Amino acid sequence: MTLLRQNRELKKLGVWNWSLPAFAGKLPDGRSYNTCPSAGVCAQACYARNGTYLFPNVKARHQQNLMLVLDDLPGWTKAMLDELSHKKFTDAWVRIHDSGDFFTNTYLAAWLEVIRARPRTRFYAYTKEVAMFRTLVEPSPPRNFWWVYSYGGTQDHTLDPAADRVADVFADESSIEDAGWHSQAESDLLAVLGPAPVGIPANNIAHFKARQAGRRWSDWQAGAEAARAGRRERAEDAATRTSRRVPTTRQRLQIHARPASGFWDWTRAV
């Protein structure tokens, strides 16, 4: 197991990175996984589901990382601690997940153990696991760990830009400037060290930009949530109307037993 500098943008900054496969898929042994359980619209425009991340050798490496975490988390923790003991990681930066996220409490807890045990190394991450961080990180965060909550996930509604450090993906640089946000395009470290709130220009991937349609990810996610709520409400209304039209068992029995002639008082059958 090794930390890498395979991400071109991070390599220019001298940042090491640890990666998992992005979002959901199947491992070679047939097991299903989801490394981004709180992903929302971001899954439809994730840079880590495109380009070099899909190369067989890259995908295999990320899956090997995940299998080690799943099958032997204590062994992974020891191996990560051993690797980070090398002098090259003193005062170095490590980005946890340039793809994937903290997908379980136990996995996040293992990372916190590693981070606290290596105080001379600086760690940072983007995450959509807001509730998990509220519980496990925010009460007592390691001094060498920085994080930013990124929009586009199912927990967006729990974020407060006035209190939380947040990042949003915009269509382009001009959109970030117009919104009064602060771009991290010059350096990924600005996401956690620069002024807030943080704007990220969308990757120049044509089919992803078409899906984004000029929206900020926070707006895109809010629209998706509203549409989902509308569909759910319409379905509930339809079910209610249907139930009102269906006679009860007692009503059906009395309908069959009504007299051959004369006025039928429906209210007596209710």
Side-chain angles (χ1 to χ4, degrees):
M1 180 189 72
T2 55
L3 291 163
L4 300 173
R5 280 181 171 165
Q6 69 184 52
N7 183 304
R8 185 175 57 208
E9 297 302 319
L10 298 181
K11 185 175 181 180
K12 289 190 297 186
L13 301 172
V15 174
W16 299 87
N17 63 284
W18 166 260
S19 297
L20 298 174
F23 195 46
K26 281 195 173 184
L27 294 171
D29 60 12
R31 283 181 291 175
S32 297
Y33 64 82
N34 185 348
T35 62
C36 304
S38 293
V41 297
C42 62
Q44 300 181 48
C46 176
Y47 67 91
R49 302 182 73 192
N50 185 77
T52 58
Y53 287 83
L54 301 182
F55 288 179
N57 61 323
V58 175
K59 184 176 180 179
R61 170 61 68 88
H62 293 172
Q63 289 184 338
Q64 288 169 3
N65 288 348
L66 178 58
M67 286 188 286
L68 180 56
V69 168
L70 292 174
D71 297 335
D72 186 10
L73 189 58
W76 171 87
T77 303
K78 182 181 184 303
M80 185 62 73
L81 287 170
D82 289 346
E83 182 164 0
L84 289 167
S85 67
H86 296 170
K87 289 183 178 180
K88 65 184 177 182
F89 292 110
T90 300
D91 297 326
W93 282 96
V94 174
R95 175 172 167 178
I96 306 173
H97 307 136
D98 66 321
S99 64
D101 205 342
F102 300 95
F103 59 95
T104 65
N105 287 352
T106 53
Y107 176 55
L108 173 56
W111 263 115
L112 292 173
E113 178 184 344
V114 168
I115 292 167
R116 290 190 172 101
R118 294 292 178 263
R120 294 296 304 274
T121 302
R122 294 167 290 183
F123 301 83
Y124 76 104
Y126 297 77
T127 186
K128 292 178 172 61
E129 296 302 328
V130 184
M132 195 184 297
F133 267 62
R134 298 268 198 247
T135 301
L136 297 181
V137 182
E138 289 188 10
S140 181
R143 296 182 64 181
N144 57 327
F145 183 34
W146 291 259
W147 68 92
V148 56
Y149 295 120
S150 52
Y151 280 107
T154 58
Q155 299 186 44
D156 279 9
H157 62 284
T158 68
L159 293 172
D160 178 5
D164 299 314
R165 188 172 186 89
V166 296
D168 205 349
V169 176
F170 290 75
D172 49 40
E173 286 284 351
S174 62
S175 300
I176 297 173
E177 185 177 353
D178 291 344
W181 287 43
H182 307 275
S183 176
Q184 54 70 269
E186 184 178 340
S187 169
D188 194 54
L189 289 171
L190 291 175
V192 291
L193 299 179
V198 178
I200 304 171
N203 288 279
N204 192 27
I205 303 171
H207 59 290
F208 286 170
K209 295 188 79 169
R211 291 174 188 169
Q212 187 171 347
R215 298 166 290 186
R216 291 163 55 167
W217 277 15
S218 57
D219 292 338
W220 186 8
Q221 181 66 36
E225 295 284 356
R228 188 176 299 111
R231 290 193 297 270
R232 184 165 54 245
E233 183 177 350
R234 289 191 295 273
E236 290 172 353
D237 288 345
T240 299
R241 289 193 299 271
T242 300
S243 66
R244 287 173 179 169
R245 290 195 299 267
V246 176
T248 65
T249 301
R250 182 182 174 192
Q251 289 171 342
R252 289 195 296 271
L253 290 173
Q254 293 192 356
I255 289 171
H256 290 303
R258 65 184 177 182
S261 62
F263 177 77
W264 175 254
D265 185 356
W266 177 262
T267 60
R268 296 178 62 186
V270 178

